[in-house]
Amino acid sequence: MSKIDLHPRADANDVLTIGIPRGLLYYRYHVLWRTFFERLGKTVVVDAPSTRATFTAGDAASVDECCLVSKLYMGHVLALIDGQGLDATGAPTPIDALFIPSVGNLGTLKHFCTKFQALPDLVANSLVERRPRILSCLADSLDAGVSMRDGFIALGCRLGARPKEAKAAFRAAEREQARAEEALAHAQQELLASIERLPAAERPLTILIAAHPYVAHDPFVGGAVEDALRAAGAEVIFADEFDHERAYKKSFEFSATLPWIVNREIVGAILALHDHVDGIVIMSAFPCGPDSMTDDAIQRCIHGKPILALTVDAQSGTAGVETRIESFVDILRYQHKGGYLHA
């Protein structure tokens, strides 16, 4: 039984423009979020991709114990508060409120890092002098009995929608999210199939990047790794673009107790794609708690493919990353082609 009021008072019906920080779960759910708000007639504003300046601003506003990606998220929040967000046309647009959900879990063994549940409070308390207006919704199926669907419907009602309209908006958002995920998984499958149709001697190195999407796809965090791999002539695929449901089920071959849903999906994707890639790059943002356990277990328990583990921190420069990638690719090429003469 849900413990949330699905028909709350419309205390946010004056909010017309909603800012979504380009960080953390944005990289997983941005299609769902944008579709939901736009179906309710709201304007969605997102700030520019991450840069060193984004991190510097967020770092100054964060406590030291926050992980790198949380500090980066705070920088995106500040950009939106300062009017640096862009609407769908690319026009600078001020916002009426920030959307920062509280996401704890989607069920048993489907937990997110605790920082996602605490995020609205973290932002509000870190920026108390700026007094940001925050729209949030809860997703905590286990402890609060509130599904993500329930949380969004309640938020839609707060924004002035009737329950029927909020439910329709969330159904549409779920469909668009599913289509986007299916398109990524299909493109990945087609790419692998096209590589495997080539004669063995003509196949490029295929390397799997295994990381949270806000690490793998954020230009400040993971961009240098992808760029270095492609510059070395490798074909790159991503664990988070593999079919999520299949990856989650596959992960139980690795662990029956791993609690975090995204780490499960990463592990499952590694197992499913293991025989289709030449090497695996595991990336983590310092100091990620779930990754500190999962990444070590992957390196200890998954054998048969070379694995490069990279931890990105605020002091990381691209030169060190490029050197390690070049060395890793050289090793793979030697194994793949049978010697450096074929490089």
Side-chain angles (χ1 to χ4, degrees), residues 134-152:
I134 295 174
L135 290 176
S136 190
C137 66
L138 179 66
D140 184 354
S141 297
L142 292 179
D143 297 324
V146 179
S147 68
M148 185 175 289
R149 174 183 180 275
D150 291 341
F152 270 92

Side-chain angles (χ1 to χ4, degrees), residues 4 6 8 23 30 60 90 105-106 122 142 166 168 229 251 263 287 290 295 326 338:
I4 191 172
L6 295 181
H30 66 94
N105 64 78
L106 304 180
L122 180 64
L142 292 179
L229 286 170
S251 72
N263 290 88
D295 292 357
E326 288 172 3

Side-chain angles (χ1 to χ4, degrees), residues 242-307:
F242 188 76
D243 181 88
H244 289 179
E245 185 175 352
R246 287 179 58 195
Y248 183 82
K249 292 178 179 177
K250 188 75 172 175
S251 72
F252 284 88
E253 297 177 12
F254 179 84
S255 171
T257 58
L258 188 66
W260 304 291
I261 181 172
V262 179
N263 290 88
R264 276 200 169 276
E265 291 169 356
I266 291 171
V267 168
I270 290 173
L271 293 176
L273 296 169
H274 185 273
D275 294 336
H276 302 279
V277 299
D278 299 296
I280 301 167
V281 175
I282 302 174
M283 274 198 300
S284 180
F286 181 82
C288 178
D291 283 359
S292 67
M293 178 184 293
T294 309
D295 292 357
D296 183 67
I298 290 171
Q299 294 174 77
R300 290 173 181 269
C301 302
I302 296 180
H303 304 131
K305 287 292 188 300
I307 296 176

Side-chain angles (χ1 to χ4, degrees), residues 52 224-225 228 310 315-327:
R52 168 65 66 174
V225 174
L310 297 173
Q315 284 72 46
S316 295
T318 59
V321 170
E322 291 167 358
T323 299
R324 293 188 67 186
I325 291 293
E326 288 172 3
S327 298

